């Protein structure tokens, strides 16, 4: 492996780490906010628990998507370069 | 691969990682806020659950768009350079 | 490719990544705030749902614009240099 | 292209990316705040929806201006150097 | 162009980018706060809409001034050096 | 081991550390918010404790997922390079 | 131009950019807060609109002063070195 | 030990420190929030103290998990490289 | 000008820029807070407008002082070195 | 001691410092929040002081655990390398 | 001037800039908070205006002291080295 | 002292400074929060002052522990290397 | 002065600047909070003005102490090295 | 003084500055919070002023301790190396 290839590979792996790291920070906080508000909502109106849980899961799923994009980009950076 | 090409490729891959990372952080937090407020809203007025869920999904979709732009730029940086 | 061209191209690609990354962070949070407030508003006065949704979409469209500027600058940095 | 020109061009392109990135972050958050407050306002007094929407659009337009300055400076940095 | 001139020009262009970027971030957020509070105010007392809108525009104009200073400094850094 | 391989390996290991570090920060805060709100909710309506606990666990599990993605990427960066 | 002069000039121009950038960020946010509170105040007591507007303008003028100091220092850094 | 191995080992140890540091910061704040809310809850409804304590411990355990992932990655970085 | 003098002068000018930049950020935000609270206060009790305005101006003048210190240090760094 | 060993040892010691520093910051803030809420709770319902104190201590103990992980990793980095 | 003296002088001047910059940021925000609360207090109880103004000035004077320390250290760094 | 030993010692001392610095920041803020809430609590129910003070001291002692860990690590980094 | 002495002196002076800068930032904000709360308190109960002022001054004096430690360390770094 | 000793001494002095700087920032803010809450408490229940003042002083003393640790470490870094 010559030096140029080494720099490319190193940048890819460092980038993968930063990408997944920041990509886990954002959705991790966001989804926690969703679930926290859902718990608060169920405590206030338990008769709508299934409705709120469903909304929570759908909302988290959308928010999760950007985390999954990060995962995909990280895997691409690790394996395809 | 000579050194100049290596620096270019390395910058592209590092940039891809930072781009997707920050691009997942913002929408991840933002969409979590949407879904959290939607859960709160449904707990208060469950009879409008479908309306609120629809608004939540539309709002998240628009917010998701910037995350998808990041994904596109990241993929461009990885593959087309 | 000589070294000077490599540095230019590398800076362009790293800049594209940072530009789209930060440009997705801001509107992503901002649009999430809009949609969250819209959900809160519909829960309070569901009879105005269409009005609120329209305002939300218009407001998000304007906020999206800066995200699109970032996308344009990123694409320019990737392709036209 | 000699090395000095390369450094100049590289700085211009990296600066363009940072400029548009930060210039999208600020107005993106700010305009989101405007639109969120407008949705909240319409939910409270729907009979003034047109007034509030007009104010929102005017306020966002002024806030957008700094984002457009960033776009202009970014384009200048990319093309005129 | 010799190396010293290249460093000077490069610093000027990078400085222009940072200047306009940060100079758009601050007023962008600040003006968004103004317009958001104006929308909130009109929703509460719509009969004073013209007064509030006038105050909002004057206040935003003053806040815009620092953004314009940044624009001026950025243009000076790009063209006069 | 030659120098290029050393740089690649070093970048992978540093990236693994940053990835898991940031990937633990986000979900750690987010899940704490969920559990805090769940405790608050049970104190207000203890008769729904099982419902709230179930929602808390489901919400935390989804939020945990991005932390697990970080773990996976970190392990990949350590072992498969 | 020899190298030492180049470094001095480069530092002056980069410093000018950072100075105006940060010097626009602070007053931009601060003046936005003033104007936002003024709009809120006029909505509550419109009969004192002229008093509030006058106070807002005086307060913003003082806050603007630090932004103008930054402008002066930036111009000095660009032209007098 | 040659230089390449030294760089790899150094990166692993620095990465281990950053990983555990950030991985302790997040859960440390998050779990503190949980326990704080639990104390608040018990003060309000002491008759549910056991329920709240149980929920607190379960919630903290899940939040602790990301801290433990960090510990595992740190130990791996220290010993297995 | 030899290299050592160049480094000294460059550090002085960069330091001047950072000093005035941060020194404008703090008082800019702080004085905005003063003026915002003054507007809020006049809206609540307009009969004390002159008292509040006087207090606002005195308070801003003291807060301005640190901004002026920054200006003085910046000018010293630019001219007396 | 040759240079490679020196770099390894230096990275280990710097990493140990950062690890314990950040690992003390997080739990330090978190545990302070717990104890603050416990004091607030006892002021409101002093008859449950022992219950609240017990919960506070258990909650702090769990939160302390990540601080202790940091201590362990720091000691490992100092002594075992 | 030889190189070692140049580095010392450069560090002193850069340090002076950072010292005064950060030393103006903190008291600038803090004193703004004092004056803002004083305006709020006078609006609520104008009959105690002189008492509140006196307290504000004493409190600001103490807070100003750390800003003056920064000024002294900056002047020492500029002139006595 | 050869260069490798110098780098190791330098890293240890810099790490000690950062470790104690950050390790004082966190508990310093956290313990301030505890004592602030304790003062608030005593003002509300002075008859429980001894109970609240005891809880405050116990809570601060636990929070202090991470600060002491930092002290220990710093002393180890200074003396045992 | 040889190079090694120059680096030591330079580090001492830069460290002195950073130390006093950050050491003025913290107490500056903290003491501002004290004085702001004191003004608020006097506005609410002016008959206790002397008590509150005394408490404010004592509290600020303790908070000032860390600022004075910074001053001492800065002076030591400037003069005794 | 040879170069290795110079680097060690330089790192110690820079570390001392950062240590005391950050170690003054945290307790400075925290103790300000304590004293602010104490003033608020005395305004509400002046008959308990001595109790609250005593609690404030004890709480600040504990919070001060981490600042004093920083002072000790800084002095050790300056004198004993």
């Amino acid at each position: 492996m010559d030096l140029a290839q080494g720099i490319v590979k190193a940048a890819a792996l460092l980038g993968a780490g930063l990408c997944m790291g920041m990509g886990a920070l954002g959705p991790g906080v966001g989804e926690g906010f969703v679930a926290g508000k859902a718990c608060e909502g169920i405590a206030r109106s338990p008769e709508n628990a299934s409705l709120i849980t469903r909304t929570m899961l759908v909302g988290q799923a959308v928010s999760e998507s950007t985390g999954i994009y990060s995962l995909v980009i990280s895997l691409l950076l690790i394996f395809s370069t």
Side-chain angles (χ1 to χ4, degrees), chain A residues 18-33:
Chain A
L18 286 172
C19 174
M20 192 65 240
M22 286 192 285
L25 204 159
V29 172
E31 290 170 21
F33 183 81

Side-chain angles (χ1 to χ4, degrees), chain A residues 25-46:
Chain A
L25 204 159
V29 172
E31 290 170 21
F33 183 81
V34 182
K37 282 291 177 185
C39 289
E40 202 181 352
I42 289 176
R44 201 181 300 160
S45 66

